[in-house]
Each structure stands twice: as C-alpha cells, then as structure tokens.
Amino acid sequence: MTLAISDLKVTLGGREILRGVDLELRAGQVHGLAGESGSGKTMTGLAVLGLLPHGARVSGRITLGERDLLAMTPRQLNAVRGGEVAMVFQDPATSLHPMLTIGRQLTEHMRHHMRLDRRQARARAADLLRQVRIPGAEEALGRYPHQFSGGMRQRIAIAVALACSPKVLIADEPTTALDVTVQAGILRLLRGLCDDLDLAVLLVTHDLGVMSAVADEVSVMRDGVVVETGPRAQVLRDPAHPYTRALLDSLPGETS
Amino acid sequence: MSIKRPPAPGDDPKAARREPGRRGARSPLARFLVRRVLTALLLAVGITLVTFVLTNLVPGDPVAANLGQRALGDPAIVAQWRTEHGLDKPLPEQYLLHLRGVVQGDLGTSQQSHRPVLDDLADSVPATLELAGAAILISIVVGVAFGVVAALRRDRFSDHLLRVLSLFGISVPTFWLALTAFYVLFYRLRIAPGSGRIDPGLTPPPHVTGLYTLDAALAGQWDVFSSAVGHLVTPALVLALYTIGLLTRFTRSAVLEVLGQDHVRAGRAKGLPPRVILFRYVLRPALVPVITVAGLAFGSLLSGTVLVEAIFAWPGVGQYAYKSATTLDLPAVMGVGLVVGGVYLVINLIVDVLYGVIDPRVRLS
Ligand SMILES: Nc1ncnc2c1ncn2[C@@H]1O[C@H](COP(=O)(O)OP(=O)(O)O)[C@@H](O)[C@H]1O
Ligand SMILES: [Mg+2]
C-alpha cells in the first residue's frame, strides 16, 4: 500500500513548522528522510499518526490507499495507529514502558487490534522476538526493558511495531541513540523486514551515511519542506539542490 | 516462603509452568518482601527504645503527678510507689523489663484508668484507625482523581478551580475547620449527627475488628451501620481536607511529568484505547511519587486526629494520648508511642511494598 503525504502544513504556537511537505512511501521500499536537526522530520512522522503536540494545526493530505488520515475521526485513527501504520522511536530506553514485561508490551495492542486471545497473542509475541533475533524469545517475554541492552531494546521496539502486521513503518532515527557497534545490525534488520513483509518504511535520520546503506529513495528536508527527492543513487551522487550538496560535503569520506 | 501474585492480564500461567526461568523471576519479589519485613522488625525494636527514652526524658515528675499532696509527704509511700512502677531500677534494666513486657503484650497499667494500657489501647486504637483510615482513603481517592483531572485539563477552568480548592485545603488549620464544620453542620444546619461514634441510643455492634462501620455491616445491623457512617463522615472529611489538597497538587505534577514521557507517546502510537493509556501508561508510573507523599501525609493526618477527636468527642488514641500526656501517665504515654511508631512502621512497609509491586525495577535490583 502507498502512503502519500501532500502539501502537509503544521503550525504550532504561531510558527509554521512544516510548510508543505510532499512524500510518497511505497510497499517494499525504504524511503530515507534526511535533513539537519529541527528541519521537521519527527513532526512529519508524528503528523502521519496524528500524534502532534497539543495545539498543532494541520492541513494538507495524508492518504493511506484511498483514505485520508487527516479526515479521520479519533476513533478511526486509533484503529490505524499501531495497526496499519506503526512507529519506532529514537530512544528505546524511554520509548518502552519501564514497568511492563516485554510480553505485555508485545501483546496488548495485538489483543486490542487483532482480537487475539492470550495464548495466540503470546505465541505470536515469541515469534516476533525470534524474527527480530532476540535470543531466548520465550524467556524474554517475562522480562522487563531494563534487563536488555540498548540494541536489544530497539529490536524489541521494532517487534512491538510489527506486532499487528502494519503496512507502513515509520522509524524515527532508530539508531541515533544506540552504540555504533549495533547500528548496522538494526539497519540490516529494518531492510530485511521491509523486503520480507513488503513494508513501506520511512527511515528518518540526520545521517546520510545511514541513508546510503539501506534506502531506496531519499528525500532531503530543510526548514519544514522537502527540497529534494529521488532514487538513492541519483540524490547522493548527483544532488540537484545546493543544500543536499552541502550536507554531502560535510560528510566525512562519503563522497564518491 | 512463596508469594502468590495475581496473574497479570498479559501473563499466561501455562507458559509460566512450562519455563523454569519464569519461576526464578518470581522469587525476587519474595526476597524483596522478606528484606523489607526484616528491616521493619529491626525498626520496631528501635521504636521501643525511642519511646522509652523519650518518655523518661520528660521534665515532669510522674510521682508528683500521680500521688496526692498527703502521700507525697510520706517518703515510705513514695518509695513504695516507685518500686511498684519499677522506677527505682537503673534505666537500662527498666528498658529491658519494658521490652520484655512489650513482647508479652504487657504494657503496664495506666495510672489514670487503673486498667492495663493494652486494654485502653484496644478500645481507642480501632476508633482512631477507623477515623484516620477513612480519611486517608477519601484523601487518596479524591486527591488522585482531582490531580488527574487538573493535569488533563491543564490551564483550563477546572484546573484553576482545583488549584484554589487544594490551596484552601492545605492552608486552612485543621482545628478551625473542625470547629466550623461542627458548628455549621451540626448546630446550624443539623445535617450532621453530633459527637461520638454512633447515636447515643444505639449499642455498639458486636466487637470483631473494633471498626464500628465494618462490625455493624458484618453483623447486619444496618441502623447501627448508617449511624456509624453518618458520624464518621464529617470528622473524616475535616481530617482529609489537608491531604486531599496535598495529593491533588502532587498527583497533578506527577501526571504532567509522565504525560511528557516517551513511553506515553509510544503507547499512543500503538493505538491503545485512551483509557488504557491513562491508567496503564500515565497513572501507574505517576503513582510512585504519589504513594510516597500519601505515606508521609498519613503522619500529618495522625497528628491531626488529636484535635479532631477532641472537637468531635471521638474516643480515640488522640484523646487518650492527650489525657495521658497531661497527667504524666507514663505507661499510657509509652503505649501510645508504641502504637504510633508501629503505625508509621506499617505505613512505611506498605509504601515500600507498593513500590516493588508497581515498579519491577525496584524489586529486581
Ligand atoms: N513540542 C513542540 N512545540 C513547539 N515546537 C516544537 C515542538 N517540538 C518540535 N518543535 C519545533 O518543530 C521544528 C521541527 O522539529 P522536529 O520535527 O523535531 O525536527 P527534526 O526531527 O527534523 O530534528 C523544530 O523547529 C522544533 O523547534
Ligand atoms: Mg527528530
């Protein structure tokens, strides 16, 4: 399924944070979204899920297949969230609930969205943990987030996002808070899941190096607008926009 | 020792039996509880020491307070009285005797009532527990509810209204409130029943717990029950107002803090119903600081009972403590000290255990 964002504008506290964002995510593709900090990448992701901060005013269109997410009632949107569209956040140390077992966090929305009973949900939760390569999946279900390392936690957060078989996955800087040594593993995992499950992935990052490793399409954002979009090879080798060139030049050893 | 925890909705008991690892995950809670109880026991011994020392430090002379002018003039009578009450022995020995008595349930005889202190306490402690228990229950339910509403409606009218109410509750002196409530509700409006625990025409319910409301309900004496509830409501509310104000403020700030945390946004991103987000994702983490404050607030609530019991003629520990302190009835004072210390201990234990139950990081560390 395709997720298309067109002319998305967000005003918050009298300031226009997004000034007409256009993006298109396609099934089976990783769409990289780059741009310096504060350019509006996170806000774009949150707008898709309807999770913008209080007082935000939104206009434009965000269509999932035929449906406009911005026109949905809160109830309808809640069914899409975690169901068809899921999100992975930057810091797995804080985005998992510290007081709930991994099993609980994997099953609670499954039971809600997919109406699974406890046994089915638990069996699927263990499968999900194996899919993101958590060792000892059965036993891990009874443990708490603080008993895992950062990389493992992010794998768990990805499993939570995948639980209800979403069609769209928004990953907001999923490796930024992690050790350099585990970052590549998480990216490979996301790439593999995208291919295996035919997911449309939006991979947000301020790191063009990350981008060049896994993205099919690349968009570059600046000051609340997308300044450049295209296939990875084209955008990274032959950027049309001077800002993209500046970003690429600032990257150590990534010019070729 | 095995602690049975009710299975959480996400837990699968069959899976727990299948994996040996899950059994191991349970024992930290048991170990955590045992550790807390042992600490509490140690503290209990400390309390007996402190009450004993404090009681012996009071400047007044218990002999003068308890014997008449005539008897005081007679050295033989004074000496006999001192021997009778163990006052001629060295302090450490007096303490050991006291400790042995406490363990055996012998707290000495009240010089006022000439009854065993234990019996006096058995009469007055349940009365105070009923009053203070009702007050803390009201405080927690109302204070937490108010705090949650204030946080969710931040800077709107209901938030401002609740801020004024909680400031009122925190700043109004309890004695003034007690007098005003008694005067207005009883003398003027006649909507509250008068003083005491039940209407004078009724006989107290058969003694089971000593809490009249509970005992009356157990015995099915509904007239006594409604009378007991009616008598309880006003003093309990008076006592609760301060803690309601306090808990409203603390719950509001705790909820606001949790609302800004990442896991709440992540929970919303999972599409969980708003009710689940509120209770499981916001309220549960917010309760940790609230429980701490509630435990501390119970202390101020207990000291408030002295005044409230006096004004509402509630025959509780507060009144007993006041009478024994002003007459230097040392065994009674020590008995009250032990009870109050014991109550603090139990409250602390409850707070500690609740921490462990709410937050797995506490019991697993
Ligand atoms: N809660 C908020 N209230 C007001 N402005 C915000 C809030 N969060 C972010 N912003 C602003 O929105 C803009 C875009 O932020 P964000 O999407 O987080 O950037 P990025 O993710 O690209 O680093 C920034 O200028 C930031 O200052
Ligand atoms: Mg961001």
Side-chain angles (χ1 to χ4, degrees), chain B residues 52 55-56 61-68 71 76-91 93-99 106-117 327-334:
Chain B
F52 178 80
T55 319
N56 277 282
D61 180 359
V63 182
N66 283 282
L67 293 180
I77 295 181
V78 171
Q80 193 204 338
W81 194 88
R82 294 182 69 91
T83 321
E84 227 169 68
H85 291 86
L87 294 179
D88 56 335
K89 301 207 172 68
L91 273 184
E93 198 181 332
Q94 282 187 42
Y95 171 65
L96 287 181
L97 284 175
H98 168 67
L99 194 58
D106 174 13
L107 301 177
T109 305
S110 162
Q111 293 147 15
Q112 274 287 302
S113 65
H114 302 289
R115 296 172 53 196
V117 170
T327 56
L328 285 181
D329 184 351
L330 289 194
V333 169
M334 273 198 272

Side-chain angles (χ1 to χ4, degrees), chain B residues 121-135:
Chain B
L121 290 174
D123 287 344
S124 56
V125 168
T128 298
L129 281 187
E130 185 166 39
L131 180 58

Side-chain angles (χ1 to χ4, degrees), chain A residues 1 27-29 124 128 131-132 158-159 161-169 189-201:
Chain A
M1 201 176 311
Q29 294 208 338
R124 176 162 168 75
L128 284 162
Q131 199 169 5
V132 298
I158 291 171
L162 295 177
C164 301
S165 311
K167 303 186 177 71
V168 179
L169 179 68
L189 175 67
L190 282 174
R191 178 74 248 183
L193 291 168
C194 172
D195 296 337
D196 296 347
L197 306 173
D198 207 25
L199 286 172
V201 177

Side-chain angles (χ1 to χ4, degrees), chain A residues 12 15 17 36-43 53:
Chain A
L12 192 54
R15 205 160 67 83
I17 285 171
E36 65 190 354
S37 169
S39 55
K41 306 181 299 291
T42 297
M43 289 298 147

Side-chain angles (χ1 to χ4, degrees), chain A residues 42 46 49 51 78 81-82 85 87 89 91 94-101 104-105 108-109 111-113 118-119 122 138-139 142 144 146-147 160, chain B residues 5 8-15 18-19 21-22 262-263 265-266 268-274 276 280-281 284-285 288 358-361 363-364:
Chain A
T42 297
L46 292 179
L49 287 164
L51 290 176
N78 225 23
R81 276 201 283 259
V85 183
M87 187 152 177
F89 294 90
D91 188 355
T94 55
S95 67
L96 291 169
H97 194 317
M99 303 175 182
L100 300 182
T101 60
R104 186 77 178 278
Q105 306 199 46
E108 56 180 356
H109 55 316
R111 299 192 58 193
H112 177 68
H113 289 303
R118 191 175 293 179
R119 255 209 11 254
R122 219 179 151 85
E138 290 279 341
E139 196 207 335
Y144 293 89
H146 73 277
Q147 297 171 309
V160 169
Chain B
R5 189 173 51 117
D11 283 350
D12 180 1
K14 276 192 225 98
R18 252 185 276 122
E19 312 152 28
R22 292 270 311 165
D262 261 4
H263 75 267
R265 196 172 62 181
R268 290 203 178 107
K270 288 164 82 175
L272 294 170
V276 173
R280 201 179 293 162
Y281 278 69
R284 180 166 171 182
V288 173
I358 291 182
D359 192 344
R361 286 167 298 182
R363 62 172 188 266
L364 292 174

Side-chain angles (χ1 to χ4, degrees), chain B residues 191-217:
Chain B
I191 48 175
S195 48
R197 298 178 72 184
I198 44 170
D199 291 335
L202 295 168
T203 13
H207 182 100
V208 182
T209 61
L211 312 178
Y212 280 9
T213 47
L214 200 59
D215 287 354

Side-chain angles (χ1 to χ4, degrees), chain B residues 32-67:
Chain B
F32 166 80
L33 286 175
V34 169
R35 226 172 29 233
R36 293 298 135 137
V37 170
L38 285 179
T39 321
L41 282 178
L42 221 70
L43 279 171
V45 176
I47 286 171
T48 61
L49 185 61
V50 170
T51 50
F52 178 80
V53 170
L54 282 182
T55 319
N56 277 282
L57 282 179
V58 290
D61 180 359
V63 182
N66 283 282
L67 293 180

